[in-house]
Amino acid sequence: MKLLGAIFIICASTGIGFALARNLKERTKQLRDMKQAITSLEAEMVYTMTPLAEACHRVSQQVPSPVSTFFSTFSDALQKGESSAYQAWTKSLASLKAHSCLQQSDLDVILQFGASLGQQDLEQQQKQVKLTLSNIDRQELEASEKQKRSENMYKSLGFLGGLLMTIILI
Amino acid sequence: MNYDVNLIFQIAGVGIVVAMIHTVLKQMGKEEIAHWVTLLAFVIVLYMVVNVVDDLFQTIRSVFLFQN
Amino acid sequence: MVHIEILQIVGLGLVATFLALIVKEHNPSFAFLLTVFVGVIIFIFLAEQIANIVAMLEELAESAQINMVYMETILKIIGIAYIAEFGAQIAKDAGQGAIASKIELGGKVIIMVMAIPIITAIIETVIGLLPN
Amino acid sequence: MSFVTEWIAQLIFLVLFATILELLLPNSQLQRYVRLVIGLIILVVMLQPVFYVFQMSADEWLDSLDEWSGVGEENSADWSMEEQKSEIESNQLAYISEQMAVQLQKQANDQEVLDEMDKHVTDVSIVLAPTLIEEDENDVLGNIEMIEVTVSDTSAEGEDSGNEDGEIQKIEKVETVKVDTSQSFTEEGSETKGRGEDGDKKDLIRKRLEDVWQIPSERITVVGKGESSE
C-alpha cells in the first residue's frame, strides 16, 4: 500500500516536471510555427494579393495546431465582418494565449503585428512583417536557450521532488 | 533495537536527494531557490532528529535521575 | 539474544557511517544530522539495557537493606556524565571543539556540586576528630 | 556486632555497585570526576563508625544529604508492614460480616416474620465497625455499623397477585432495608415519614426485624430499591 502511494507520488511529480519541460519545448516550436505562418501570410499578401481573411484562412491550413486555430478564428471573425481587424486579432490572440505555451512577451510581439495589419500599404506592411519576424526570431532564440537550460532541470526536479516527498512521508 | 531504524535511511535519502536538487538548481542558476530547498529539508530532518533526541533525554532521565 | 544485539548495533553503525560518507560529500549538514540520529538511537538502546542492570542492582540493594541515597547519587552522577558526554561528542563532531569543551566543563561542575554534601560531611568528621 | 555486619555489607555492595557503573561510563575526562565522587561516597560509608563515635547520627547526616541532592527516601520497610497488618484486619472483618449476614438472613426467613406481608429476605450485607472488633469479639451485634437488607415480594412470585393488598403491589418489588447505627436517628425518622404509605410499610418491616434481630427499630432505615441508600 505504501509502495503504491510512493509510486503514485513519484509518477505525478515526474509528470508535472515533464509537462513543464514540454511547455518549454512547445514554446519554441510554436514560435517557429508562428514565424512560418507570418512568412506565408506575407507571401499571400505581397505576391498573390489575396484579402486578409482569405489569406489567413490559407495560412491556417499550412501550419500545425495552435497557430492554425488562431489564424482560422481570426479569418472567421473577419469574414463575419463584425469587428475591425485589430479587434478580431486581439480576440483570437486571447484564445491563443489560453491554448498555447507562448508567453506574454511573445504575444506582445504578435499583438504589435496585428495592430499594423490592414492599416498600411504593402510596403509598410512588408516592413512590419520583417520587424515582427526579427522580433519573433529573438524570442525564439531566447526560448530555445531557455529550453536547453531548463528542460532537463524541470524533468529531474520533478522526479527528485517526488522522491523527496516519498522519502519524507514514508 | 525495535526503534525506527528506517529513519536513518530516510535522513540519508533526504540528504542525497536534496543535494541533487541543489546541484540541479544551482546549475540552472537558481541558487536562491536551491538554498531555500536545502534549508527546508534541513528543518524537516532536524525536526525528526530533535524528536529522537528528546526521547533519549527522557530515557536517560528516567533511568539515571529517578524522575518521570 | 545478546550477540544478535551487538551485531545490530555494529551493523547500524557501519551502515550509518557509509551513508554519512556518501551524504557528506554533497551535504555536510545532513551527514551531521545523520550522525546525531544514529548516536541517539544506539544510546537509547543502550539506555534500555542499562536500565536492566540498574534495576537488578536496585533490587539487590533493597534486599540487602542498603541505603538508597548512595546509589542514587552515583546513578545521578553517571547519568550526568552520559548526557554531558553525548552533547560534547556531537559538538565535537560538528567541528565545535570550543562548545564541546564547555559542555564537558558543565558536566564536571555539576558532578562536583553533587559531591559537595559528601565533601562537607567528611571535612566535618575530620574536624570533629581533631582535639579542640 | 550487627552494626558492623551491616556496615561491611553496605561497603561491599557499594564497591561492587560503583565498579559496575564505572564500567558503564563513557571513556572521557569526566571519568576522573566520577571516580572522585564515587571514592568520596565510599569514604563516607567507611567513616560511618566514626560518626557513631562522635555521637553524630548518620541518619541525620543522610537527611542533610537528601536536602542537598533532592533524593526523597521513604522508610519503605515500616510502611509495608503497616499495610500488611491493615490488610489482614480488613480481611478478617469481611469474613466475620459475611458470616453474620448469612446467619441473620437465615434467622429472619426461618421465623417467617415477613410472611404476613408477602415478603422474604433475599440478601443481607453487614458493615462492621472496624474499631470495636478488638474490644469484644463475642459481642458481634454491638459491632454492627450498618445492615443492609434486601427484601422481595413473595406474592409477586406466586400466582395470587392483585387479589389482596393492592398497596403492596405498588411498592417496588425489591426494597432495601438499612440498619445504620452511626447516623442520627431523628433524621432518619423524618426521612421515612416523608414517604407516607411507603414509609409505613417499611416501618412495619423494621419492627419485625427488630423483634427477630434484637436491634432497636428506631435505628432502622428503610430505603426503596430505586433510591440511593446514602
Side-chain angles (χ1 to χ4, degrees):
Chain A
M1 208 55 214
K2 252 182 181 172
L3 193 71
L4 203 71
I7 289 170
F8 270 140
I9 289 180
I10 291 181
C11 283
S13 64
T14 312
I16 291 172
F18 270 74
L20 287 174
R22 200 182 53 100
N23 245 7
L24 287 176
K25 210 162 135 192
E26 281 294 295
R27 185 180 164 215
T28 30
K29 195 170 151 286
Q30 282 165 14
L31 277 175
R32 212 174 299 134
D33 289 346
M34 186 54 88
K35 208 169 69 180
Q36 193 203 337
I38 288 174
T39 321
S40 50
L41 187 65
E42 184 203 10
E44 293 286 342
M45 285 193 301
V46 175
Y47 302 116
T48 62
M49 295 285 222
T50 37
L52 197 53
E54 179 73 12
C56 284
H57 184 66
R58 276 195 211 162
V59 165
S60 77
Q61 284 167 345
Q62 292 169 14
V63 288
S65 168
V67 180
S68 75
T69 43
F70 166 67
F71 276 102
S72 64
T73 46
F74 177 57
S75 80
D76 280 352
L78 278 183
Q79 265 164 352
K80 276 181 198 157
E82 57 196 15
S83 54
S84 74
Y86 180 60
Q87 272 173 332
W89 186 267
T90 332
K91 217 183 258 178
S92 35
L93 204 62
S95 77
L96 178 70
K97 186 185 179 182
H99 292 104
S100 76
C101 308
L102 295 180
Q103 284 179 356
Q104 194 55 47
S105 55
D106 314 332
L107 294 170
D108 282 346
V109 170
I110 300 165
L111 188 69
Q112 209 185 350
F113 174 66
S116 70
L117 208 62
Q119 309 243 326
Q120 292 146 329
D121 62 12
L122 210 56
E123 217 156 300
Q124 290 286 336
Q125 193 76 65
Q126 233 174 325
K127 270 184 195 165
Q128 203 69 48
V129 165
K130 247 177 214 154
L131 178 67
T132 308
L133 280 182
S134 76
N135 273 342
I136 291 181
D137 257 341
R138 198 158 39 78
Q139 292 288 339
E140 193 196 333
L141 200 71
E142 189 237 346
S144 72
E145 199 171 302
K146 202 171 178 183
Q147 178 200 346
K148 229 192 304 175
R149 262 197 310 127
S150 308
E151 199 179 1
N152 272 326
M153 181 190 79
Y154 277 133
K155 280 178 189 168
S156 49
L157 266 192
F159 177 68
L160 289 174
L163 205 61
L164 191 67
M165 230 186 289
T166 44
I167 288 176
I168 287 176
L169 288 181
I170 239 171
Chain B
M1 199 107 275
N2 45 10
Y3 218 77
D4 197 3
V5 179
N6 284 333
L7 231 52
I8 297 174
F9 294 101
Q10 197 171 353
I11 293 174
V14 170
I16 293 171
V17 170
V18 166
M20 283 163 84
I21 289 179
H22 188 90
T23 318
V24 169
L25 281 169
K26 208 169 163 186
Q27 231 170 24
M28 300 309 152
K30 294 185 175 169
E31 285 183 36
E32 225 169 279
I33 299 175
H35 281 125
W36 280 114
V37 168
T38 314
L39 187 66
L40 186 71
F42 185 80
V43 168
I44 291 171
V45 176
L46 191 64
Y47 175 72
M48 303 193 297
V49 172
V50 163
N51 265 340
V52 184
V53 171
D54 178 52
D55 221 352
L56 168 77
F57 283 165
Q58 298 303 332
T59 314
I60 289 184
R61 257 169 56 134
S62 61
V63 172
F64 291 107
L65 307 187
F66 298 99
Q67 293 160 355
N68 288 312
Chain C
M1 202 58 210
V2 174
H3 61 285
I4 293 175
E5 279 164 357
I6 186 64
L7 281 186
Q8 276 179 333
I9 292 178
V10 172
L12 189 72
L14 288 182
V15 168
T17 312
F18 180 66
L19 284 177
L21 270 183
I22 296 175
V23 179
K24 198 164 201 162
E25 256 179 59
H26 308 283
N27 221 331
S29 52
F30 281 88
F32 167 64
L33 283 184
L34 192 71
T35 320
V36 172
F37 180 76
V38 174
V40 169
I41 283 197
I42 293 177
F43 223 100
I44 287 177
F45 178 62
L46 287 183
E48 280 165 15
Q49 305 293 311
I50 290 172
N52 288 341
I53 299 174
V54 170
M56 182 267 283
L57 288 173
E58 257 173 63
E59 235 171 77
L60 209 65
E62 247 168 59
S63 63
Q65 301 269 316
I66 279 161
N67 232 320
M68 289 295 284
V69 180
Y70 301 122
M71 227 180 85
E72 291 192 10
T73 312
I74 296 177
L75 272 180
K76 271 190 178 184
I77 288 168
I78 288 177
I80 290 166
Y82 264 120
I83 294 174
E85 177 75 14
F86 177 77
Q89 290 282 358
I90 286 174
K92 217 176 264 172
D93 269 4
Q96 299 297 325
I99 294 178
S101 61
K102 298 300 176 292
I103 293 175
E104 264 179 16
L105 178 71
K108 288 171 192 171
V109 169
I110 301 280
I111 288 175
M112 291 322 282
V113 166
M114 303 269 318
I116 284 179
I118 303 166
I119 295 172
T120 45
I122 291 172
I123 289 175
E124 272 172 22
T125 320
V126 171
I127 288 175
L129 277 173
L130 295 173
N132 290 334
Chain D
M1 194 57 203
S2 75
F3 171 73
V4 174
T5 338
E6 203 177 286
W7 175 59
I8 290 177
Q10 199 161 358
L11 205 57
I12 290 173
F13 176 79
L14 208 67
V15 171
L16 174 80
F17 184 69
T19 319
I20 292 176
L21 279 184
E22 236 194 83
L23 290 176
L24 293 175
L25 219 62
N27 41 350
S28 72
Q29 292 164 294
L30 287 176
Q31 203 167 25
R32 285 187 305 163
Y33 291 77
V34 175
R35 266 189 198 158
L36 170 70
V37 176
I38 290 175
L40 284 175
I41 287 178
I42 292 173
L43 196 62
V44 166
V45 177
M46 277 164 67
L47 281 177
Q48 254 180 2
V50 185
F51 282 126
Y52 263 64
V53 170
F54 284 87
Q55 302 298 312
M56 178 187 168
S57 127
D59 284 337
E60 215 172 89
W61 173 74
L62 275 180
D63 284 343
S64 72
L65 187 66
D66 282 357
E67 280 167 26
W68 263 97
S69 57
V71 176
E73 192 204 14
E74 288 164 311
N75 211 336
S76 56
D78 280 5
W79 186 73
S80 71
M81 280 279 281
E82 269 315 305
E83 195 184 36
Q84 254 181 343
K85 204 174 162 191
S86 70
E87 199 174 44
I88 291 172
E89 264 177 21
S90 69
N91 276 345
Q92 205 175 3
L93 270 182
Y95 179 69
I96 288 176
S97 66
E98 210 173 305
Q99 291 294 315
M100 277 280 295
V102 172
Q103 219 170 1
L104 286 181
Q105 184 184 347
K106 209 174 161 200
Q107 209 177 349
N109 281 340
D110 282 352
Q111 295 181 23
E112 305 179 343
V113 271
L114 300 177
D115 276 6
E116 58 174 287
M117 282 180 290
D118 280 325
K119 290 182 184 292
H120 70 273
V121 178
T122 53
D123 191 19
V124 180
S125 73
I126 293 172
V127 179
L128 289 175
T131 47
L132 296 176
I133 195 82
E134 282 166 28
E135 289 173 17
D136 187 6
E137 285 198 30
N138 298 323
D139 184 19
V140 197
L141 284 177
N143 289 336
I144 291 169
E145 199 179 60
M146 192 189 284
I147 303 179
E148 247 180 83
V149 189
T150 311
V151 291
S152 79
D153 260 334
T154 36
S155 65
E157 288 158 12
E159 295 306 313
D160 57 343
S161 60
N163 63 356
E164 59 164 83
D165 224 344
E167 267 181 29
I168 298 176
Q169 295 302 316
K170 281 175 203 155
I171 307 173
E172 280 131 314
K173 297 263 179 338
V174 180
E175 292 168 311
T176 305
V177 182
K178 182 174 274 182
V179 184
D180 194 340
T181 59
S182 66
Q183 283 176 17
S184 71
F185 307 128
T186 52
E187 222 176 79
E188 287 161 16
S190 65
E191 201 183 337
T192 44
K193 256 174 211 160
R195 267 187 236 118
E197 287 175 350
D198 253 30
D200 290 347
K201 202 77 224 170
K202 285 164 185 172
D203 275 346
L204 205 60
I205 295 171
R206 294 193 313 191
K207 288 232 171 58
R208 299 288 170 178
L209 289 175
E210 171 198 21
D211 291 339
V212 182
W213 292 341
Q214 274 96 53
I215 291 165
S217 74
E218 62 262 34
R219 288 175 169 193
I220 302 172
T221 321
V222 183
V223 187
K225 184 202 177 191
E227 304 157 40
S228 80
S229 51
E230 259 79 34

